[in-house]
């Protein structure tokens, strides 16, 4: 079963607008990562947030983590047409747990940015 | 060039045949992973290995087998027992926690049953 669930499944916006994607998970995690995938390609790492962090920034990306709600959000500011891709969250289980070492991905959010 | 190399990029299999997808990494990572992705879907974990000579089943291991005889190599065999093998297969490796835990992916292999 999938640990992470992204929401929305698809998002369509205009260039310059902000895009927000959400990820929910079910069990305790060590960290949560966000990835981007262009169609038919491998995934590219965007950002990692540890379970003891609440917010992290990288360029136009902002990630938040709420461990009490078991959820994370990825915000892309001032979007560009080149941001069009699928975005996935991935969770890693805690050391000592049954899912330690296992990386589980959500279903992804398909983002389309119109020029 | 450091990274993960998957081969072949495209593979056609006749029903009843076993095929092996190659995954090689020169990143010196202990942990490696195989995922399956169906069109428009997320990634589902097939097998993972945290160290040489050890591996664990993921969520959809039935019909697949792996080996981890060398640190840099984690081949995946899609057996004839896998009833619906047509998919995009992704191999990944992970940095140790002390280095950041980032996961690196190969470019994927497309498998089609003909």
């Amino acid at each position: 079963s999938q640990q992470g669930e992204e929401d929305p499944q698809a998002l369509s916006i205009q260039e310059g607008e902000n895009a927000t994607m959400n990820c929910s998970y079910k069990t305790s995690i060590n960290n949560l990562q966000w990835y981007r995938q262009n169609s038919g390609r491998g995934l590219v790492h965007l950002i990692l947030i540890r379970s003891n962090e609440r917010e992290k920034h990288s360029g136009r990306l902002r990630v938040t983590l709420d461990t009490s709600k078991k959820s994370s959000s990825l915000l892309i500011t001032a979007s560009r047409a080149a941001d069009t891709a699928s975005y996935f969250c991935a969770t890693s289980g805690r050391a000592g747990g049954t899912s330690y070492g296992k990386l589980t991905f959500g279903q992804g959010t398909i983002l389309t940015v119109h020029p | 060039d450091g990274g993960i190399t998957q081969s072949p990029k495209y593979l056609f299999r006749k029903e009843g045949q076993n095929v092996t997808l190659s995954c090689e990494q020169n990143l010196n990572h202990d942990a490696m992973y195989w995922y399956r992705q169906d069109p428009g879907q997320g990634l589902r974990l097939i097998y993972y290995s945290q160290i040489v000579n050890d591996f664990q089943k993921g969520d959809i291991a039935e019909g697949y087998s792996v080996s981890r005889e060398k640190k840099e190599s984690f081949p995946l065999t899609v057996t004839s027992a896998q009833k619906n093998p047509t998919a995009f297969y992704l191999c990944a490796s992970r940095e140790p926690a002390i280095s950041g835990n980032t996961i690196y992916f190969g470019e994927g292999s497309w498998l089609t049953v003909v």
Side-chain angles (χ1 to χ4, degrees):
Chain A
S1 61
Q2 290 291 327
Q3 163 78 316
E5 296 291 336
E6 282 95 341
D7 166 59
Q9 290 187 333
L11 182 60
S12 182
I13 58 174
Q14 296 294 128
E15 257 189 336
E17 294 180 340
N18 295 343
T20 300
M21 289 159 268
N22 303 297
C23 169
S24 61
Y25 57 92
K26 297 174 182 172
T27 61
S28 294
I29 61 172
N30 186 42
N31 61 65
L32 185 145
Q33 305 186 45
W34 284 91
Y35 286 81
R36 168 197 168 120
Q37 183 184 35
N38 285 23
S39 182
R41 306 294 300 275
L43 278 72
V44 175
H45 178 257
L46 294 176
I47 196 165
L48 178 151
I49 186 165
R50 302 188 191 284
S51 59
N52 61 353
E53 297 176 312
R54 292 297 166 258
E55 187 171 314
K56 206 162 183 180
H57 296 254
S58 177
R60 293 185 295 115
L61 305 179
R62 174 181 167 243
V63 170
T64 61
L65 179 65
D66 187 335
T67 53
S68 67
K69 295 181 180 178
K70 292 186 168 57
S71 67
S72 173
S73 68
L74 170 68
L75 168 68
I76 303 174
T77 61
S79 63
R80 305 165 182 167
D83 293 329
T84 295
S86 294
Y87 292 82
F88 295 90
C89 67
T91 55
S92 176
R94 283 193 170 279
T98 57
S99 62
Y100 179 64
K102 185 178 178 181
L103 295 171
T104 307
F105 284 78
Q107 295 295 312
T109 293
I110 301 171
L111 173 65
T112 303
V113 182
H114 300 280
Chain B
D1 246 16
I4 299 180
T5 303
Q6 288 188 239
S7 63
K9 178 69 176 179
Y10 300 96
L11 185 61
F12 296 90
R13 188 195 94 170
K14 292 182 180 179
E15 287 195 21
Q17 280 184 338
N18 292 355
V19 292
T20 297
L21 306 179
S22 170
C23 179
E24 302 280 328
Q25 54 104 353
N26 60 5
L27 301 168
N28 201 34
H29 292 167
D30 286 316
M32 297 187 74
Y33 303 81
W34 273 107
Y35 291 90
R36 169 183 172 139
Q37 187 178 32
D38 293 283
Q41 301 295 312
L43 279 67
R44 291 186 289 168
L45 182 63
I46 304 172
Y47 269 97
Y48 63 109
S49 168
Q50 296 193 67
I51 199 165
V52 174
N53 293 320
D54 184 55
F55 50 83
Q56 290 82 38
K57 291 182 179 180
D59 299 316
I60 56 164
E62 186 176 350
Y64 299 97
S65 66
V66 293
S67 63
R68 188 82 190 278
E69 297 175 1
K70 298 186 295 182
K71 188 175 188 177
E72 57 270 23
S73 179
F74 191 39
L76 173 74
T77 297
V78 185
T79 74
S80 57
Q82 171 50 239
K83 297 306 177 190
N84 185 21
T86 295
F88 187 48
Y89 291 87
L90 286 159
C91 179
S93 70
R94 184 169 69 168
E95 282 181 335
I98 195 170
S99 300
N101 254 329
T102 298
I103 309 160
Y104 295 85
F105 280 85
E107 284 297 302
S109 294
W110 291 92
L111 173 63
T112 302
V113 172
V114 296

